Amino acid sequence: MNKFYVTTPIYYANANAHIGHAFTSIAADVLARYHRLLGDETFFLTGMDEHGAKIARAAEAAGKEPQEFTDDIAKGFVHLAKVLNLSNDDFIRTTDRQIHWPGVFKIWNAIKAGDDLYEGEYEGLYCVGHEAFMKKSDLKDGVCPDHQTKPEKIKEKNYFFKLSKYKKRIEQLYESGVISIKPKSRANEVLAMLKDSEDISFSRPRKDLKWGIPVPSDENQTIYVWADALTNYLSAIGYGRNGDWTKFWPADVHVIGKDILRFHAIIWPAMLLSAGLDLPKSICVHGFITVDGQKMSKTIGNVIDPIELIKKYGIDPVRYFLLREIPSTEDGDFSYKKLEDRYNGDLANNLGNLVSRVAKLIETKLESELNFDEKFFDKKVRQKITKTEQKYREAVENFKLHEALTHIWELFTFANAYIDEKKPWVDITDHPERFLQTITSLVAIIINGSHWLEPFLPETAGKICAIFNQNN
Ligand code: ME8
């Protein structure tokens, strides 16, 4: 049996989730469910990134202790996972001292033992929003273009990680495709970013960053975001604790947004190489969602709360909209109008009508049992189903989830047209064999289509299977 391990980023516990987070999680859920359908032993991980100055400040602003604050935010994300109908097997939190911290200590020590950490003095411009140092050239008019804040000048003692030692090997990973990045165009971005990559600061003074994991054997330093956050992918499956973490490691897919490509495609592989661990097999990178053409922001007041959206439209219409309307690897736009158009056009008119037309024909006109024997099958339909499955699988495996849905819907459109063309009700008395063939072919389309739909719209697929007495 194959194994399949898929992850989402761990989300910052500084604010509640928005549809961007929901999109990443749903996309990863599709991959997990798809691999379960194939029979692979699957592990799907999501969770929270809870340390750092940004979170400590958000807690302070809310008048709470950081742990209490992150507990509340994490509760919201756990609830969202349920509402999104995610099939995650685990939910990791970086504040978990039993589950996460031992893994972080272990990777830190492994990197140190490989002589890849050294003490140095860091002087630079620090953006709290990014939790990262920035170059002057990254700024626009002296402020961070993403957060519109002036970075702080910082001079401090840090441990540094010898990232530059791994540049050549990382370059080869992408040139030879050892780690496959989807879409491929992002690999070129990684190679360009790699050219500017230098050793990175791997810890911060404890006095400036109290809300974090202490460096083993140096209580004056706190482990910085890289070793703390990225290690979640290992700690969750048992790295640093007892247990067979190699059962699922290496990750088969890290699903991420384009904003954290450098962390996952350069820093993470370098850490793993240094610690002598296997590398993830692929990284699927999606774009960003805008709202009515604008960046989502609290200041503009256009942040879309997925829970509210689902309350209004139901889970599957929201999953469908995000997975069909937003091209998986590019930026896409959310609007209520687009969501409603997709809902009415694709779900209600196309799929909804198909299911009710065929169910009604069976209920009112079919007197014999359905028989899926080849002779009751229209060859044209058989070919259409096979071709659709091939295109669907290729699309999912290339992280083109919107295309996979397009292929399924083409099949449903075909089926609706097939009913119009065959007019099965005309055949009931004079050509019962032909009637049976048409109905069998239509039911086969619906059953196959809803089977492939399960990873995308589990609730809808389940309902359709129940109507046609099939187990999904
Ligand atoms: O970066 N459209 O956490 P984060 C689509 N903790 N996706 C979006 C989005 C948008 N407008 N905005 C956010 C962090 N995302 C770190 C990650 S991983 C070891 C550490 C999604 O809460 C997208 O997946 O800022 C992006 O990569 C992620 O949320 C960033 O989440």
Side-chain angles (χ1 to χ4, degrees), residues 364-413:
T364 56
K365 311 282 185 218
L366 188 74
E367 277 163 8
S368 53
E369 283 287 298
L370 277 180
N371 183 336
F372 291 95
D373 198 278
E374 275 306 310
K375 71 174 173 191
F376 293 114
F377 231 95
D378 184 341
K379 270 213 190 73
K380 187 171 87 174
V381 172
R382 163 71 79 214
Q383 278 166 2
K384 182 84 189 165
I385 292 175
T386 312
K387 195 97 206 119
T388 304
E389 175 168 5
Q390 278 166 2
K391 288 197 281 189
Y392 159 87
R393 290 184 59 158
E394 205 181 305
V396 176
E397 278 156 30
N398 285 306
F399 195 55
K400 293 187 173 164
L401 307 180
H402 60 300
E403 283 186 13
L405 282 176
T406 311
H407 298 311
I408 301 181
W409 254 262
E410 261 170 32
L411 186 67
F412 294 151
T413 306

Side-chain angles (χ1 to χ4, degrees), residues 177-400:
V178 169
I179 299 180
S180 115
I181 296 201
K182 291 163 191 164
K184 276 204 182 112
S185 54
R186 297 272 178 208
N188 298 334
E189 257 175 62
V190 173
L191 290 173
M193 286 191 276
L194 197 59
K195 288 207 170 69
D196 295 336
S197 295
E198 293 160 6
D199 291 352
I200 53 167
S201 169
F202 226 48
S203 72
R204 299 207 51 213
R206 191 96 192 136
K207 65 176 179 40
D208 298 321
L209 182 59
K210 290 191 189 66
W211 184 237
I213 305 175
V215 166
S217 67
D218 187 347
E219 61 191 25
N220 295 321
Q221 292 278 316
T222 301
I223 294 177
Y224 190 42
V225 62
W226 321 119
D228 181 336
L230 288 160
T231 309
N232 88 87
Y233 302 131
L234 282 164
S235 63
I237 52 170
Y239 178 80
R241 294 178 282 136
N242 290 332
D244 186 12
W245 57 275
T246 54
K247 179 175 172 197
F248 283 108
W249 193 257
D252 292 84
V253 182
H254 290 312
V255 179
I256 59 165
K258 62 180 181 180
D259 55 328
I260 49 177
L261 179 60
R262 191 171 80 95
F263 306 167
H264 286 78
I266 296 179
I267 298 173
W268 183 224
M271 285 170 59
L272 293 166
L273 287 170
S274 167
L277 300 169
D278 286 344
L279 299 166
K281 291 188 189 148
S282 72
I283 304 173
C284 291
V285 191
H286 67 72
F288 259 41
I289 301 179
T290 50
V291 173
D292 292 315
Q294 281 184 302
K295 192 178 159 175
M296 241 187 301
S297 100
K298 272 196 191 149
T299 338
I300 302 175
N302 63 350
V303 177
I304 304 285
D305 175 351
I307 306 246
E308 289 305 314
L309 203 62
I310 292 162
K311 260 191 209 149
K312 186 163 177 205
Y313 295 98
I315 178 58
D316 276 3
V318 171
R319 283 179 72 114
Y320 182 75
F321 169 80
L322 291 173
L323 293 163
R324 173 66 189 81
E325 181 74 27
I326 314 287
S328 311
T329 53
E330 282 153 52
D331 294 344
D333 191 45
F334 169 89
S335 79
Y336 287 99
K337 162 112 181 42
K338 285 182 193 159
L339 193 156
E340 283 168 16
D341 285 351
R342 284 282 174 202
Y343 181 80
N344 293 328
D346 297 1
L347 293 177
N349 289 344
N350 193 334
L351 175 59
N353 267 341
L354 174 66
V355 169
S356 63
R357 285 168 97 186
V358 177
K360 203 163 169 203
L361 277 169
I362 293 177
E363 203 182 296
T364 56
K365 311 282 185 218
L366 188 74
E367 277 163 8
S368 53
E369 283 287 298
L370 277 180
N371 183 336
F372 291 95
D373 198 278
E374 275 306 310
K375 71 174 173 191
F376 293 114
F377 231 95
D378 184 341
K379 270 213 190 73
K380 187 171 87 174
V381 172
R382 163 71 79 214
Q383 278 166 2
K384 182 84 189 165
I385 292 175
T386 312
K387 195 97 206 119
T388 304
E389 175 168 5
Q390 278 166 2
K391 288 197 281 189
Y392 159 87
R393 290 184 59 158
E394 205 181 305
V396 176
E397 278 156 30
N398 285 306
F399 195 55
K400 293 187 173 164

Side-chain angles (χ1 to χ4, degrees), residues 5 8-13 17 25 43-50 70-82 84 86-96 99-100 232 235-237 241:
Y5 178 27
T8 71
I10 45 171
Y11 305 113
Y12 278 132
S25 294
F43 195 84
F44 170 23
L45 177 69
T46 185
M48 303 300 300
D49 189 352
E50 304 191 2
T70 56
D71 283 349
D72 286 347
I73 301 270
K75 251 185 229 149
F77 273 82
V78 168
H79 175 62
L80 177 65
K82 287 212 175 70
L84 293 175
L86 300 187
S87 61
N88 56 304
D89 298 284
D90 202 358
F91 189 97
I92 179 101
R93 296 182 56 191
T94 55
T95 47
D96 192 323
I99 302 289
H100 181 61
N232 88 87
S235 63
I237 52 170
R241 294 178 282 136

Side-chain angles (χ1 to χ4, degrees), residues 11 20 63 97 99 107 138 149 155-156 167-168 195 218 244 248 252 270 275 302 360 372 420 426 435 452 467:
Y11 305 113
R97 291 175 184 232
I99 302 289
I107 204 164
D138 295 332
T149 49
K155 188 174 176 184
E156 61 187 30
K167 277 168 82 163
K168 193 82 220 144
K195 288 207 170 69
D218 187 347
D244 186 12
F248 283 108
D252 292 84
N302 63 350
K360 203 163 169 203
F372 291 95
D420 298 340
V426 175
F435 176 73
W452 305 325
I467 293 174

